[in-house]
Amino acid sequence: MIFFDIEAGAFKIDLKEYDLLPSYFVAFLNLGKGMELYLFEKSNGTLFYFNGKKRIGISKEELHSKSNKIFLLVENENKIDKKNSSQFLKWLPLILVSSLFIYLIFYKAYNIFHLVFLLFSIFGTFLSIVALKDMIGIKSEFVNNLCNPSATIDCTSVINSKKWKFFDYVSFSDLGLLFFTTQIFGYFLFLLTNNEIEFFNLQKLLVYSSVPFIALSIYYQKFIENKWCTICLSIIAILVVQLVYLTMVYEGVSYPGIESLALLGLAFFSLIVAWQWVKKVLLKQKELQEFYIKGKRFARNYEIFKNTLVTGSKVTYPKTVFEFGNSEIKNHITISTNPFCGYCKDAHFLIEKIFQKHQNDLNLKILLNVNLDSEDNEERKDFCRKLASIYIYESPQLFLEAFHYWFAQKDISIWNKKYGGFQIAEDAGKILKSHNLWALNNKFQFTPAIFINNYPYPRKFDRENIPYFMEEILEDDNW
């Protein structure tokens, strides 16, 4: 949970409280192999647990008897999912093009029988896309419920199965997508040439030729994979409906001419080339996403982080630092910063946020690495002295507020209107000089420089990862 920055807690829950469980939770379950950790889902009052990619139903009484009654519950922060918004914008051009394409077909096509057939094709295309949910990254509770309603139904197992060598080259989902998109695109081409009747003669032959594939799919699900795929069965149902529909509406079969075959072939092979390119991009994107997650997991591995951290040399701070929180607390985080440093704002806000979250268990130290002797701007010198004086004469809390306000505004005249009236302390310049000399002597001239328990934060690790390490740092007694 820390890795994903998710608030969570472990609770002991009685059977009578199971109705209060959230939609997803984690618990230990004994299925004959000892206590093992499983992800659970509660959907419409029914409980399921995931064993690999299988979604298996379980009663409340069975869960109660086979678990240790300890549940890991995740806090729902009701955050706005900005990623969904960016994903929508990414797909917006494709949606617009598809919408215009469909509008043109419906606008030019005046025959209601043609439109009904196209609706079947569009729905088949939709189901074929859903069948590729793992590749595309579709996350939907509706799709999950559709694909895994019971132990005998598992769309993922069937669609991703490679038990026949044939599926190393092409899958049922590929065939379905190419078949239905060829119907839509082919109809558009035949519509432009005013040859719709020839198109439907071709489709009648093609739908009849799909019967062996339908039988093959049913056989594979029943006897080879021993699982049913609701998406595959739905696609089969559409093909059967199309077959019946074409038989009823267009009686008899007339064999198409060479031009019609060439036109439909153009549509089909164009879509094959396009799909090969799109599929390659989607697989690459999925691979990169998996690599990204593995990279994040490595970068946020606490053991690796700590081992890297403690290889550095411990530092001793100046006698006087700006300190916040209980100085007796063993864990502390320190930042050497410069108010005029362009990179220090984000680092300051990050450390400030960490301290606010853990201020009962964490001590914060701030060093102001500013060289007053080389600073020609008197206004800047006075600002730094006033900031230090607020800590000396007023309070650490007011210092933090004033420093936060500075980074938020980055304008001395605005800052002075709120905090410029404080008297400058005699020791302010001396303290600032000691901080600057300390940085020079210890070769920490760059800012911001962050230290955890006197160890310099490793440059190999992004400082944005500090919050993910903080919980384990505070729980670690071996420092």
Side-chain angles (χ1 to χ4, degrees):
M1 295 296 109
I2 294 171
F3 172 77
F4 293 104
D5 195 23
I6 297 173
E7 297 289 342
F11 303 91
K12 188 170 185 178
I13 299 177
D14 295 328
L15 177 62
K16 61 183 179 180
E17 298 174 318
Y18 281 12
D19 290 333
L20 303 177
L21 288 168
S23 299
Y24 291 92
F25 58 92
V26 175
F28 281 98
L29 200 62
N30 189 344
L31 298 176
K33 299 180 180 179
M35 286 291 180
E36 294 180 319
L37 205 60
Y38 290 91
L39 172 66
F40 287 80
E41 178 187 357
K42 188 178 76 172
S43 177
N44 299 322
T46 304
L47 293 172
F48 300 90
Y49 69 91
F50 291 89
N51 189 354
K53 293 184 178 180
K54 297 179 181 179
R55 183 171 176 264
I56 305 170
I58 185 171
S59 67
K60 296 175 185 177
E61 292 73 18
E62 188 179 4
L63 172 60
H64 185 71
S65 63
K66 294 184 177 180
S67 71
N68 60 0
K69 288 74 175 177
I70 303 296
F71 297 83
L72 179 64
L73 307 182
V74 178
E75 180 180 342
N76 181 9
E77 298 182 347
N78 296 319
K79 294 181 180 178
I80 296 174
D81 191 350
K82 296 181 180 178
K83 184 178 178 181
N84 287 340
S85 176
S86 63
Q87 288 289 328
F88 173 76
L89 292 175
K90 184 174 72 173
W91 288 97
L92 184 59
L94 180 60
I95 293 171
L96 290 174
V97 171
S98 301
S99 301
L100 289 172
F101 182 73
I102 293 170
Y103 170 76
L104 183 60
I105 289 177
F106 278 69
Y107 175 77
K108 189 170 177 59
Y110 55 87
N111 192 316
I112 187 65
F113 297 108
H114 297 182
L115 296 180
V116 171
F117 180 83
L118 278 180
L119 287 176
F120 293 144
S121 301
I122 291 170
F123 190 52
T125 302
F126 169 75
L127 288 175
S128 299
I129 292 172
V130 172
L132 299 164
K133 61 186 180 70
D134 291 334
M135 184 192 302
I136 299 174
I138 296 175
K139 304 292 182 184
S140 168
E141 185 174 350
F142 170 76
V143 173
N144 289 336
N145 292 335
L146 177 68
C147 291
N148 303 92
S150 69
T152 59
I153 298 176
D154 190 341
C155 295
T156 302
S157 296
V158 174
I159 292 170
N160 295 331
S161 177
K162 302 289 185 183
K163 291 182 179 179
W164 283 354
K165 194 169 182 63
F166 170 76
F167 295 120
D168 289 336
Y169 306 99
V170 66
S171 65
F172 280 127
S173 54
D174 290 335
L175 292 173
L177 183 64
L178 289 171
F179 185 86
F180 290 115
T181 52
T182 299
Q183 286 185 333
I184 298 171
F185 188 45
Y187 179 76
F188 176 73
L189 293 178
F190 278 82
L191 191 65
L192 294 178
T193 58
N194 296 315
N195 203 6
E196 300 98 305
I197 302 300
E198 190 76 357
F199 168 79
F200 284 102
N201 285 329
L202 268 170
Q203 291 309 307
K204 197 170 183 179
L205 290 172
L206 288 174
V207 173
Y208 272 110
S209 66
S210 70
V211 172
F213 291 96
I214 292 174
L216 186 67
S217 176
I218 294 173
Y219 175 83
Y220 189 85
Q221 293 176 64
K222 175 66 176 176
F223 299 105
I224 304 300
E225 192 60 39
N226 297 317
K227 297 282 184 181
W228 291 105
C229 170
T230 49
I231 295 177
C232 303
L233 294 175
S234 299
I235 290 174
I236 288 172
I238 292 175
L239 289 171
V240 172
V241 170
Q242 282 188 337
L243 190 151
V244 174
Y245 183 79
L246 288 171
T247 302
M248 293 175 60
V249 174
Y250 298 94
E251 297 180 357
V253 177
S254 61
Y255 295 97
I258 298 299
E259 291 184 3
S260 299
L261 288 172
L263 194 60
L264 190 65
L266 173 65
F268 179 68
F269 288 109
S270 298
L271 289 169
I272 286 179
V273 173
W275 173 237
Q276 285 180 334
W277 179 81
V278 171
K279 186 176 182 180
K280 185 177 180 181
V281 171
L282 290 173
L283 289 172
K284 189 66 176 178
Q285 185 180 26
K286 182 183 178 184
E287 181 184 345
L288 290 173
Q289 182 67 19
E290 292 172 352
F291 180 78
Y292 173 79
I293 292 173
K294 290 178 182 177
K296 281 290 187 182
R297 188 179 293 119
F298 177 83
R300 293 174 180 175
N301 182 290
Y302 178 69
E303 293 299 325
I304 296 174
F305 164 73
K306 185 183 176 182
N307 290 337
T308 307
L309 178 71
V310 298
T311 55
S313 300
K314 267 192 170 184
V315 298
T316 302
Y317 304 119
K319 183 178 180 181
T320 305
V321 295
F322 302 120
E323 191 169 12
F324 311 88
N326 188 348
S327 59
E328 300 300 320
I329 293 175
K330 65 171 184 175
N331 290 305
H332 49 268
I333 189 167
T334 305
I335 180 170
S336 173
T337 184
N338 186 319
F340 310 110
C341 159
Y343 300 99
C344 291
K345 175 181 176 179
D346 292 339
H348 177 85
F349 286 158
L350 176 68
I351 300 302
E352 185 182 61
K353 183 178 179 181
I354 292 171
F355 176 68
Q356 288 173 350
K357 183 177 180 180
H358 304 285
Q359 55 186 320
N360 294 328
D361 305 302
L362 187 65
N363 176 263
L364 170 64
K365 295 178 175 65
I366 295 179
L367 300 167
L368 290 181
N369 183 10
V370 290
N371 189 344
L372 298 182
D373 293 334
S374 63
E375 180 60 64
D376 296 329
N377 190 318
E378 288 297 327
E379 191 178 36
R380 285 191 173 193
K381 289 183 180 180
D382 284 343
F383 163 77
C384 294
R385 294 190 188 105
K386 286 177 183 177
L387 185 61
S389 300
I390 290 174
Y391 183 91
I392 297 168
Y393 282 154
E394 300 301 324
S395 67
Q397 182 59 36
L398 189 61
F399 173 91
L400 280 180
E401 293 175 6
F403 208 8
H404 180 93
Y405 189 74
W406 160 254
F407 278 119
Q409 301 298 329
K410 279 283 192 158
D411 189 307
I412 293 178
S413 60
I414 295 176
W415 189 88
N416 279 332
K417 289 178 182 178
K418 190 171 183 178
Y419 297 101
F422 292 102
Q423 181 183 354
I424 295 178
E426 291 183 6
D427 293 339
K430 183 179 178 181
I431 292 172
L432 294 174
K433 187 172 183 179
S434 70
H435 291 185
N436 180 246
L437 287 174
W438 172 86
L440 290 172
N441 293 334
N442 289 276
K443 298 181 180 179
F444 293 117
Q445 296 96 320
F446 62 88
T447 56
I450 298 172
F451 306 84
I452 295 177
N453 292 341
N454 293 85
Y455 290 104
Y457 188 76
R459 294 188 184 184
K460 296 177 181 178
F461 289 82
D462 193 324
R463 60 173 174 259
E464 299 299 325
N465 289 329
I466 298 176
Y468 302 100
F469 298 129
M470 215 61 231
E471 295 283 354
E472 294 181 85
I473 289 172
L474 298 177
E475 293 174 1
D476 192 345
D477 295 324
N478 301 314
W479 284 100

